[in-house]
Amino acid sequence: MASHSVARSTVAPLVRRPSFLAFWAGQGVSQLGVQLGQLALPVLAVSLLGARELDLGVLNAASMAAFLVVGLPAGAWVDRWLKRRTMIRADVVRMTAMLAVPILWEAGVLEMWHLFVVAAIVGVATVFFDVAYQSYIPLLVDRELVADANGKLEATAQTARLAGPALGGFLLTVVSAPLLFAGEAAGYLVSALCLARLRDTETFRPRAEGSRLSAEIREGAAFVVSHPLIRRIVASTAIGNLFSSVVYVLMPLVTLRELGLGPVGLGVMLSFGSVGGVIGALAAPHLAARVGEGPLLPLGLMVGGAAVALFPLALTAGSGTLALVLLSVGDFVMSFGVIVYNVLQVSMRQRVCPPRLLGRMNASIRCVVWGVMPIGSLLGGWLGAELGIAPTLWIGIVGMLLSCLPVAIGPFFRLRRLPDGEGD
């Protein structure tokens, strides 16, 4: 036991590792650019192109459909490819697609279907980037630093989500929404340049003779299904993502059309949500030490789902200020609970998965938990048009609360610490 403690103490901290610092910086700038684009997209669609409920459902579905369509083979391909090179290429594709939006706008020909196409292209590139990203972190840092790295990266991402919407809301008072897409493209460029500067020890894994893509996909999926904790996490995450998509696809209409809060109001709400995410990412290790890592998973989902009940209540508020407060508090608490859950469950998955299966494991999970999001977006858009926005929000909230059941009725409440390695 003593020698194990000595081994841990000799590991250099992340802040002294130039490769991690470059990776961290690139992702921070990229996330800020993404937030500018994500605020500009609903403002452009609703305020400038007159999008309705179903239009937003289709737009969100187009951006997420790639996880359902190419998610599984992407994992097998990424396990064969060099992860860093894959991320660089994905960034270049996303940058090019984003630059098309301001160009089409300036030419006076931008239509909703253009946004659908751009969202779909960016979605495909994001599938490959995200699978490579989650598979690359255990290659970039030592196993015992994976949770620390995830916490720092998630806190930075949430900080970008805090600053991005607020900055975007301010910029939209000066420039038109399409120009913010250039900011997102610039973020992808910085990410690609930082990745190009990294040095790592990853080597190309040649395809085994006679191996088939379908067999490699099945191997990754089999690991997920056979792991008793991961399969429960996948079920909870998928249910939560399905119903959160029902809710969040309608939030641009709630803020911009129903409540008339404008882009600044939408930016303020998203920024408060990001504050909750930052605090959740930083607090996750401390809460886990007090409450236990296992119990914190269902508790995080319960807190997040309950907080979203403030969204439909905002529609009944007597003033715009009160409505904005309710939306902001709801997004703050929801983000806090969900990010605590995500930091812990992602770190556990990365620790227990064999390195050769990381890409396929992550892709198998993303195919399910993100693949349901286009379904939720379409469902939310359709229900919003048929039933109205408020009833649809309540349906989504009930579903989000039910998402905690797979982890709540499993062994998690008995686990003070989640597994650390492949043999746990």
Side-chain angles (χ1 to χ4, degrees), residues 241 300-301 303-305 333-343 400:
N241 283 354
L301 291 180
V303 169
V333 179
M334 189 283 302
S335 296
F336 177 89
V338 170
I339 293 302
V340 167
Y341 167 85
N342 278 337
V343 167
M400 291 178 69

Side-chain angles (χ1 to χ4, degrees), residues 230-248 301 305 338 341 365-373 375-377 379 395-409:
I230 291 180
R231 66 170 176 256
R232 286 183 176 274
I233 286 171
V234 170
S236 282
T237 308
I239 296 169
N241 283 354
L242 174 69
F243 286 100
S244 67
S245 296
V246 170
V247 171
Y248 276 89
L301 291 180
V338 170
Y341 167 85
I365 292 173
R366 288 292 180 95
C367 180
V368 177
V369 304
W370 287 34
V372 299
M373 294 176 76
I375 300 172
S377 295
L379 180 62
I395 291 171
I397 292 161
V398 171
M400 291 178 69
L401 288 171
L402 292 175
S403 70
C404 71
L405 289 179
V407 290
I409 62 178

Side-chain angles (χ1 to χ4, degrees), residues 94-109:
R94 295 191 291 186
M95 177 190 69
T96 304
M98 280 297 161
L99 286 175
V101 176
I103 292 173
L104 290 170
W105 175 259
E106 289 299 322
V109 296

Side-chain angles (χ1 to χ4, degrees), residues 36 97 99 105 115 118 121 133 195 335-336 342 380 388 400 410 422:
L36 293 178
L99 286 175
W105 175 259
L115 296 185
V118 168
I121 293 172
Y133 172 89
L195 286 167
S335 296
F336 177 89
N342 278 337
M400 291 178 69
E422 299 170 29

Side-chain angles (χ1 to χ4, degrees), residues 87-165:
M87 289 188 285
I88 292 172
R89 290 173 176 172
D91 275 334
V92 171
V93 171
R94 295 191 291 186
M95 177 190 69
T96 304
M98 280 297 161
L99 286 175
V101 176
I103 292 173
L104 290 170
W105 175 259
E106 289 299 322
V109 296
L110 183 66
E111 298 179 11
M112 277 300 300
W113 72 267
H114 291 126
L115 296 185
F116 298 155
V117 173
V118 168
I121 293 172
V122 172
V124 171
T126 298
V127 168
F128 286 96
F129 184 94
D130 282 358
V131 171
Y133 172 89
Q134 286 203 336
S135 305
Y136 186 68
I137 293 171
L139 302 173
L140 187 65
V141 304
D142 297 298
R143 182 181 292 272
E144 54 265 50
L145 295 178
V146 165
D148 188 20
N150 282 327
K152 285 181 168 56
L153 289 165
E154 188 59 47
T156 302
Q158 291 299 323
T159 302
R161 293 183 184 112
L162 186 162

Side-chain angles (χ1 to χ4, degrees), residues 186-340:
Y188 292 136
L189 175 61
V190 171
S191 173
L193 292 175
C194 287
L195 286 167
R197 292 175 56 86
L198 295 186
R199 296 295 178 265
D200 55 54
T201 59
E202 185 184 13
T203 57
F204 178 73
R205 183 177 72 88
R207 177 181 176 183
E209 185 175 351
S211 65
R212 294 184 178 181
L213 184 66
S214 58
E216 295 187 12
I217 292 172
R218 284 197 301 272
E219 187 180 12
F223 174 81
V224 173
V225 173
S226 65
H227 198 288
L229 300 184
I230 291 180
R231 66 170 176 256
R232 286 183 176 274
I233 286 171
V234 170
S236 282
T237 308
I239 296 169
N241 283 354
L242 174 69
F243 286 100
S244 67
S245 296
V246 170
V247 171
Y248 276 89
V249 73
L250 297 176
M251 294 313 294
L253 289 176
V254 170
T255 54
L256 298 173
R257 191 185 72 185
E258 300 298 315
L259 297 174
L261 298 175
V264 174
L266 179 59
V268 168
M269 184 198 83
L270 295 176
S271 292
F272 268 92
S274 298
V275 173
V278 171
I279 296 174
L282 296 175
H286 305 287
L287 290 173
R290 287 180 172 271
V291 180
E293 291 181 345
L296 209 52
L297 294 182
L299 290 175
L301 291 180
M302 290 176 192
V303 169
V308 180
L310 294 178
F311 289 177
L313 294 180
L315 290 170
T316 64
S319 70
T321 300
L322 178 58
L324 182 57
V325 169
L326 292 173
L327 293 175
S328 299
V329 171
D331 210 31
F332 176 97
V333 179
M334 189 283 302
S335 296
F336 177 89
V338 170
I339 293 302
V340 167

